[in-house]
């Protein structure tokens, strides 16, 4: 299969490209600089430009580009970058697809469980409404920007991803060194739910979305049973065989992270109803398994 990928240098994108190529698929990667390799194609999401040569003849497009939510403190400028990198990029890809005579059959567009906002103890799935706040509003716009592709007949799937358990990057990548040093601990009161997924299952799920023609619209990419931050902390200590004595007070998180602390301390109890109903099987459904898989992958 011939597949185009944006965000191919990120944690998820790079792992997806490796997985696809290992199985013999032809992958082209969209880059924001001048192409330097035969598999690279130019795009400029801020200006709405996508080189159509990278889309013609492709069976699928996986769009994963976007500024990291936790990479910087949420200044007004960085919040704008978080929003624009997702909304403008998605609009550029969707409009380029809509302009093709024979567009790819499927667009798998990145999204996030941030769509639901803080759900407390309440279980939510794809039928649940958007929450309130900055990240839910970004997710609503992000998904809405893909409308031109859907209207043009491209099967459009929104991969609402949870916290990816990996050592190579993302939020979990920052946690592993702390826990290895015996400095890990719960965040705030630890009662907030974390909806997580192992990197292996994330990549397998994205490929499942490509290959399953009955799936369109939002699909949650999270393990079947979310765990509280307190339970995640205990699992990290258990798997790494380290004590977890140092809880991080909520006030300290707010001091260091600013507005983003609201989301770190918030609770998202998300279930992957549509993924399970479509026949997807998780390799690492439990938190201990997901952590061990991350350690094995990085070994």
């Amino acid at each position: 299969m011939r597949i185009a990928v944006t965000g191919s240098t990120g944690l998820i994108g790079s792992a997806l490209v490796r997985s696809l190529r290992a199985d013999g698929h032809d992958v082209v990667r969209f880059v924001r600089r001048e192409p330097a390799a035969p598999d690279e194609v130019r795009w400029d999401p801020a200006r709405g430009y996508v080189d159509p040569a990278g889309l013609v003849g492709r069976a699928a497009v996986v769009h994963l580009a976007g500024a990291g939510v936790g990479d910087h403190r949420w200044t007004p400028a960085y919040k704008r970058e978080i929003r624009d990198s997702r909304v403008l990029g998605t609009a550029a890809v969707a409009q380029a697809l809509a302009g093709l005579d024979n567009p790819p059959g499927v667009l798998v567009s990145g999204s996030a469980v941030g769509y639901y906002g803080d759900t407390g103890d309440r279980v939510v799935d794809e039928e649940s409404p958007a929450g309130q706040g900055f990240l839910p509003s970004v997710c609503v716009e992000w998904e809405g920007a893909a409308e031109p592709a859907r209207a043009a007949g491209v099967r459009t799937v929104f991969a609402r991803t949870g916290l990816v358990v990996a050592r190579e990057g993302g939020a979990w990548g920052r946690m592993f060194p702390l826990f290895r040093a015996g400095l890990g601990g719960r965040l705030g009161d630890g009662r907030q739910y974390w909806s997580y997924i192992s990197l292996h299952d994330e990549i397998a799920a994205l490929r499942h979305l490509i290959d399953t023609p009955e799936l369109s619209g939002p699909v949650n990419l999270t393990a079947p049973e979310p765990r509280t931050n307190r339970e995640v902390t205990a699992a990290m200590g258990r798997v790494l065989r380290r004590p977890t004595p140092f809880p991080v007070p909520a006030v300290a998180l707010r001091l260091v992270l600013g507005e983003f602390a609201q989301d770190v301390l918030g609770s998202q109890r998300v279930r992957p109803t549509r993924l399970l109903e479509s026949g997807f099987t998780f390799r690492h459904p439990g938190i201990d398994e997901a952590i061990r898989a991350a350690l094995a992958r990085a070994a």
Side-chain angles (χ1 to χ4, degrees), residues 118-244:
D118 188 341
T119 71
D121 291 339
R122 177 170 53 93
V123 176
V124 296
D125 67 6
E126 294 88 353
E127 297 298 319
S128 302
Q132 300 294 318
F134 173 65
L135 287 183
S137 70
V138 168
C139 290
V140 168
E141 283 193 87
W142 190 4
E143 294 183 8
E147 176 58 22
R150 191 204 63 78
V154 178
R155 178 171 65 90
T156 303
V157 193
F158 302 109
R160 290 181 183 167
T161 295
L163 289 166
V164 178
V165 186
R167 282 186 62 186
E168 300 95 317
W172 230 287
R174 298 180 184 183
M175 286 169 44
F176 272 111
L178 291 175
F179 277 86
R180 274 200 178 279
L183 300 175
R186 60 176 171 80
L187 304 179
D189 62 19
R191 291 183 293 182
Q192 66 272 32
Y193 278 90
W194 280 16
S195 296
Y196 66 90
I197 186 169
S198 74
L199 182 58
H200 176 279
D201 284 337
E202 171 74 9
I203 300 310
L206 287 171
R207 295 188 59 171
H208 181 76
L209 300 185
I210 295 172
D211 296 335
T212 308
E214 64 266 26
L215 284 175
S216 63
V219 180
N220 294 331
L221 271 54
T222 63
E225 295 297 335
R227 293 292 176 226
T228 65
N229 173 256
R230 188 183 294 269
E231 291 173 318
V232 169
T233 298
M236 288 286 283
R238 190 163 54 243
V239 173
L240 293 171
R241 298 182 182 179
R242 295 290 190 275
T244 57

Side-chain angles (χ1 to χ4, degrees), residues 5 9 28 40 44 59 66 82 87 114 134 172 187 222 231 244 248 261 270 277 289 294 296:
V5 178
T9 60
V28 65
E40 295 181 344
D44 187 340
I82 289 171
V87 176
F134 173 65
W172 230 287
L187 304 179
T222 63
E231 291 173 318
T244 57
V248 182
V270 181
E277 289 179 346
E289 300 165 85

Side-chain angles (χ1 to χ4, degrees), residues 2-6 26-30 54-55 58 60-63:
R2 304 182 72 206
I3 301 170
V5 178
T6 75
D26 176 8
V27 181
V28 65
R29 300 178 297 117
F30 280 88
L55 300 175
R58 297 285 150 182
V61 176
V62 183
H63 171 51

Side-chain angles (χ1 to χ4, degrees), residues 48-131:
Y49 172 74
V50 177
D51 186 344
L55 300 175
V56 173
R58 297 285 150 182
V61 176
V62 183
H63 171 51
L64 301 173
V69 171
D71 288 356
H72 300 280
R73 189 179 178 88
W74 282 10
T75 63
Y78 195 67
K79 287 173 69 175
R80 190 161 52 250
E81 183 175 347
I82 289 171
R83 183 262 179 199
D84 289 352
S85 66
R86 287 160 172 75
V87 176
L88 299 182
T90 302
V93 170
Q95 289 164 7
L97 290 173
L100 297 177
D101 291 334
N102 294 294
V106 58
L107 166 64
V108 175
S109 190
S111 187
V113 297
Y115 178 94
Y116 303 106
D118 188 341
T119 71
D121 291 339
R122 177 170 53 93
V123 176
V124 296
D125 67 6
E126 294 88 353
E127 297 298 319
S128 302

